[in-house]
Amino acid sequence: MLIRIKSAIFSEETIEFHEGLNVVLGDNNGSNSIGKSTLLMILDFIFGGNTYITYNSDVKTNLGHHNFGITFKFNNKEYHFVRGTERPEIVYRSNKDYEKLQEISINDYTKELKFRYGLESDQLTFRSAVSTFSRVWGKENYNVKKPLHSFPQEKFIQTVTNLIKLFNKYDGIELHEKELKKLEEQKKVLNSAGKHKLIPKITKKEFTKNEKEIESLLKEIERLGKNVYSPSGDIKEIVSDEMINLRKEKKKLIDEREYYISRLNRTTRTIKRTTNAEFESLLEFFPNVNLEKLQNIESFHQGITSILSEELENAKKELVNTIDDLDKEMNKIIKKQEQLLKPDEELNVFIDNLIEMSSKLKNLQSENQYYTKMSGIKDNISTKKGELEELKEKIVKEINKVINTKLKAINDLIHEDKRTAPELNLTYSKYEYEFFDNTGTGKAYTNLLIFDLSLLFLTKLPFIMHDSFLFKNIEKEAVEQIIKLYNSMSKQVFIAIDIIDMYNKTTQNILLEKKVIQLSKDRLLTILDWRDSGKEKFE
């Protein structure tokens, strides 16, 4: 828990905190701009928040950049840190005198706080756990109808997800989501491969057609397999995978050879072309033509032709060599085929026919294997989505039930006349926080505090923070019961409150006993008073 903060900007340089209720106490005049809300915002900053930097910029403007020494205590051991306004993205480990020892990121700092406070969910960040329930003026997280929102624009589904993580119920959902993501990625890969024709892609109609053709080919191959050329009836004796692959490679080489022969023929024709320009004949029709100039141009063209001819001859040699290499490769394949099986002319025709059918069979089977694989993935995706939805529904129902049970229990403690408790209606993608009977501002804020208290009881949420404006519209008797409930907590509760003489003596005694600092118009939080400067003020 937090036990101390220290700063040169504080009038009381060091502020000590304790277990349970911690009260920032204002005066009985309800004086504003004395530092109550500012101190709570500083506490939010101490716990890794950043709103203090932006909303309370007047403090920095008037006092300059400043640091806060921070001390936590966990399992009887103290941990010291320093965080400042000049580089808020950095926190320093320190000794008890707040001398900086080691620089760490704010992310590592909040990860350590999460670990020290025992927040269990691996997927939950410390800030997403505590920020919502640090309700300080300026943070805009106090919409009474949206108690799970950290800020007004936050998406409903994110707020519900954070709640599930706070209850440490997200592991099963994450596992299903990872499995679903893996299936979606497999589907995407297969679709992409099919789109780029790396693997065959067919429709249901083509799959059915292939099935019939596969059946027909299998029967024909089986019949041929019983031919005299295969006495055992085992077609693999004649048509092995190696034989099929050799035939495919040979066909590929033949196609490649034909391509290079075509290029060689074009090159040869180009070399044979000559340009015979008989410019003298032009004189008969154009007696004034500049024959000398035309001959000079022709000399240039002949020079170019000579250069090109040399390049063409080199290209021709390369093509001839390539064709020779392809011929050698084909001869190697032919020899391998002969080694596998030395066919006579009749057998050769038989084998080619058999290989053709076997190759076609493999292609059809490959197409149908792709289709079956894709269909299986789609079915698995559909099944996994259904399981995920069922799991989500089950989890949110369990959480919804336990929260509403606690809301009613706390509501009954606060309202002796047993007013109707608020209810949370939770789905995985949205929620509603409903009030009944009394929809006034005071009851609405009461219901907001009841909600926070419920989660403080039910989860590993380490603390809650309630600013003074939340209490001002709540009826006196309800506040007295809420203070009593705060005081029963072992977890830390930070509140700002003033005008306490309106409450009963028991409540006043609790607030005075649990105060960590008392502020008034003559006793400000900070060493400097700029209330009359016309600049932004602080509570």
Side-chain angles (χ1 to χ4, degrees), residues 424-463:
L424 179 69
N425 292 323
L426 192 68
T427 68
Y428 188 76
S429 58
K430 200 170 183 180
Y431 74 91
E432 291 180 352
Y433 193 46
E434 294 187 304
F435 312 149
F436 306 96
D437 299 338
N438 187 339
T439 57
T441 304
K443 185 64 171 69
Y445 278 121
T446 302
N447 291 336
L448 187 61
L449 304 191
I450 288 173
F451 188 86
D452 291 358
L453 282 164
S454 297
L455 292 191
L456 193 63
F457 274 109
L458 294 171
T459 70
K460 290 292 185 74
L461 183 66
F463 61 85

Side-chain angles (χ1 to χ4, degrees), residues 31-91:
S31 299
N32 292 322
S33 301
I34 58 177
K36 300 188 303 295
S37 295
T38 300
L39 180 53
L40 291 188
M41 196 69 88
I42 288 170
L43 288 177
D44 184 68
F45 183 72
I46 294 305
F47 286 111
N50 289 309
T51 312
Y52 174 70
I53 298 295
T54 54
Y55 186 78
N56 298 87
S57 59
D58 60 316
V59 183
K60 183 183 71 175
T61 299
N62 287 278
L63 297 174
H65 283 298
H66 48 278
N67 292 327
F68 299 101
I70 311 159
T71 299
F72 293 97
K73 189 173 185 179
F74 299 103
N75 297 321
N76 293 319
K77 182 179 179 181
E78 293 187 356
Y79 299 85
H80 309 285
F81 302 92
V82 174
R83 189 184 185 197
T85 59
E86 187 170 11
R87 296 181 67 198
E89 74 282 3
I90 297 298
V91 178

Side-chain angles (χ1 to χ4, degrees), residues 102-348:
Q102 180 190 6
E103 180 180 301
I104 61 175
S105 69
I106 186 64
N107 187 46
D108 287 339
Y109 171 70
T110 53
K111 280 182 179 178
E112 183 166 342
L113 290 182
K114 176 188 171 182
F115 172 73
R116 299 294 177 196
Y117 275 109
L119 285 166
E120 298 167 316
S121 175
D122 292 335
Q123 305 85 8
L124 181 69
T125 65
F126 184 75
R127 287 305 301 171
S128 63
V130 304
S131 180
T132 304
F133 308 100
S134 300
R135 305 195 192 272
V136 186
W137 184 259
K139 288 195 66 185
E140 299 186 5
N141 61 344
Y142 27 78
N143 186 328
V144 295
K145 288 285 188 179
K146 296 180 179 180
L148 291 175
H149 276 66
S150 293
F151 53 93
Q153 296 78 26
E154 189 173 17
K155 293 181 179 179
F156 274 95
I157 191 169
Q158 185 59 56
T159 66
V160 177
T161 299
N162 287 340
L163 180 65
I164 293 170
K165 292 175 180 178
L166 189 57
F167 273 85
N168 197 28
K169 298 283 187 181
Y170 198 76
D171 286 350
I173 292 174
E174 183 184 46
L175 180 61
H176 275 68
E177 286 180 336
K178 283 182 178 178
E179 291 173 352
L180 182 59
K181 183 179 179 181
K182 186 176 179 181
L183 289 170
E184 294 283 7
E185 287 174 351
Q186 290 175 2
K187 178 184 173 184
K188 184 178 179 181
V189 168
L190 286 178
N191 274 330
S192 179
K195 180 180 179 181
H196 292 91
K197 303 187 185 302
L198 299 177
I199 58 176
K201 186 176 182 180
I202 60 172
T203 63
K204 173 66 175 175
K205 184 177 179 180
E206 290 169 324
F207 174 83
T208 304
K209 181 182 176 183
N210 284 356
E211 287 283 273
K212 294 178 180 178
E213 196 167 352
I214 287 170
E215 184 180 358
S216 176
L217 283 169
L218 285 171
K219 287 180 180 179
E220 182 63 16
I221 290 171
E222 183 181 5
R223 185 186 68 77
L224 291 174
K226 295 177 181 177
N227 191 284
V228 292
Y229 296 113
S230 178
S232 67
D234 186 359
I235 199 66
K236 291 181 180 178
E237 290 184 1
I238 299 175
V239 187
S240 63
D241 286 340
E242 187 176 1
M243 181 67 82
I244 291 173
N245 290 333
L246 286 172
R247 185 178 182 278
K248 287 181 178 178
E249 184 64 25
K250 181 180 176 183
K251 186 176 185 307
K252 180 181 175 183
L253 289 171
I254 289 172
D255 292 341
E256 196 173 351
R257 184 177 183 274
E258 288 178 352
Y259 165 74
Y260 283 112
I261 287 176
S262 176
R263 281 187 58 187
L264 176 62
N265 290 336
R266 288 198 303 272
T267 303
T268 301
R269 286 196 299 270
T270 303
I271 292 172
K272 288 181 179 179
R273 289 197 193 104
T274 57
T275 303
N276 296 315
E278 298 179 357
F279 294 129
E280 289 80 0
S281 61
L282 289 175
L283 293 174
E284 183 179 348
F285 302 101
F286 305 101
N288 297 321
V289 71
N290 190 334
L291 186 61
E292 183 181 356
K293 185 175 181 180
L294 289 176
Q295 287 174 339
N296 288 337
I297 293 173
E298 175 57 17
S299 296
F300 172 76
H301 285 168
Q302 286 177 349
I304 293 295
T305 301
S306 175
I307 294 170
L308 291 176
S309 295
E310 184 178 351
E311 292 183 358
L312 289 170
E313 286 292 347
N314 290 334
K316 179 180 176 181
K317 289 178 184 178
E318 290 180 8
L319 289 169
V320 170
N321 291 335
T322 300
I323 292 168
D324 287 342
D325 290 340
L326 291 171
D327 285 337
K328 290 175 184 177
E329 289 296 319
M330 280 195 291
N331 287 332
K332 289 179 183 179
I333 289 175
I334 291 169
K335 287 180 180 179
K336 286 182 180 178
Q337 287 177 319
E338 289 175 350
Q339 290 172 359
L340 289 171
L341 191 64
K342 296 180 180 179
D344 54 27
E345 187 175 347
E346 182 182 354
L347 182 56
N348 195 34

Side-chain angles (χ1 to χ4, degrees), residues 446-486:
T446 302
N447 291 336
L448 187 61
L449 304 191
I450 288 173
F451 188 86
D452 291 358
L453 282 164
S454 297
L455 292 191
L456 193 63
F457 274 109
L458 294 171
T459 70
K460 290 292 185 74
L461 183 66
F463 61 85
I464 56 176
M465 201 179 296
H466 291 155
D467 205 349
S468 57
F469 74 93
L470 295 169
F471 301 103
K472 290 183 177 179
N473 290 308
I474 300 176
E475 57 189 40
K476 180 174 73 70
E477 291 78 13
V479 173
E480 290 169 351
Q481 293 300 319
I482 291 170
I483 298 299
K484 185 177 179 182
L485 197 53
Y486 285 155

